[in-house]
Amino acid sequence: MKNNIVLIGFMGVGKGALARRLVRKDSALYALDTDDMIESLTNTKIKKIFATAGESAFRALEQKTANWLEKNVTNAVISTGGGFFKVQNIKKIGTIVYLKAEFDWIYSRIVESPNAKKKLKKRPLFQDSEKARSLFNERYEAYEAVADIVVDMSAGDQETIADEIIRKVRSLQQ
Ligand code: S3P
């Protein structure tokens, strides 16, 4: 099994921030983000890909990214877009860590952040909070089903959660 750590979970739960924190704890790891990779590959913002090519084109780009990660990447903490967990080879990329939280916790985290407007604006599937809630309800069991490790993001501070992830990943990867 590859030694990557793959962070999955709903939009706005804090996958990117946690990936950066994990990398600061272990200098052997580096951080990658699937949305950033797709934006670099296409030289286009996610929002624009959805608006011009459509969601299915975006999902195909996620699969392409997943194939590349499986083939080429080790020693990385990979933060993913909220729908990336559906790629067919997800389990071959690394240890899957689901960052779990209730929808209301996630929503508050976004709207209470200093750059809330920007965070909402860049996410095409978070334009309407009730639609986002339905998407969350459709997905939360599937996140859990695909995960090797589940951590509760609302249970403590990020530092403690990062330590918990490193400990659990190490015991699984041994
Ligand atoms: C999506 C989540 C987004 C991004 C795209 C689709 C989703 O990433 O990949 O807008 O399907 O949940 P974040 O989880 O980083 O917001």
Side-chain angles (χ1 to χ4, degrees), residues 11 15 35 46 50 58-59 62 81-83 123-125 139:
M11 292 176 271
K15 291 162 290 189
D35 282 348
I46 302 294
F50 269 75
F58 176 73
R59 300 299 173 204
E62 287 192 313
R123 295 186 158 104
L125 300 180
R139 281 182 180 169

Side-chain angles (χ1 to χ4, degrees), residues 6-26:
V6 184
L7 304 181
I8 64 165
F10 202 65
M11 292 176 271
V13 76
K15 291 162 290 189
L18 199 57
R20 291 187 291 276
R21 194 178 287 272
L22 286 165
V23 164
R24 286 200 294 274
K25 286 189 171 290
D26 184 344

Side-chain angles (χ1 to χ4, degrees), residues 27 29 41 50 70 75 89 92 97 99 133-134 143 159 165 171-172:
S27 61
L29 296 171
L41 176 74
F50 269 75
E70 180 189 343
N75 303 315
N89 59 331
K92 293 188 183 148
V97 181
L99 308 188
R133 187 190 292 276
S134 311
Y143 284 128
E159 198 61 15
I165 292 175
S171 74
L172 265 189

Side-chain angles (χ1 to χ4, degrees), residues 69-87:
L69 288 167
E70 180 189 343
K71 206 164 165 210
N72 298 296
V73 173
T74 50
N75 303 315
V77 181
I78 305 165
S79 51
T80 64
F84 187 87
F85 74 108
K86 289 190 178 163
V87 297

Side-chain angles (χ1 to χ4, degrees), residues 98-113:
Y98 171 36
L99 308 188
K100 183 177 179 173
E102 294 299 325
F103 180 81
D104 289 334
W105 185 90
I106 292 171
Y107 190 64
S108 305
R109 181 179 181 274
I110 295 178
V111 295
E112 284 162 19
S113 88

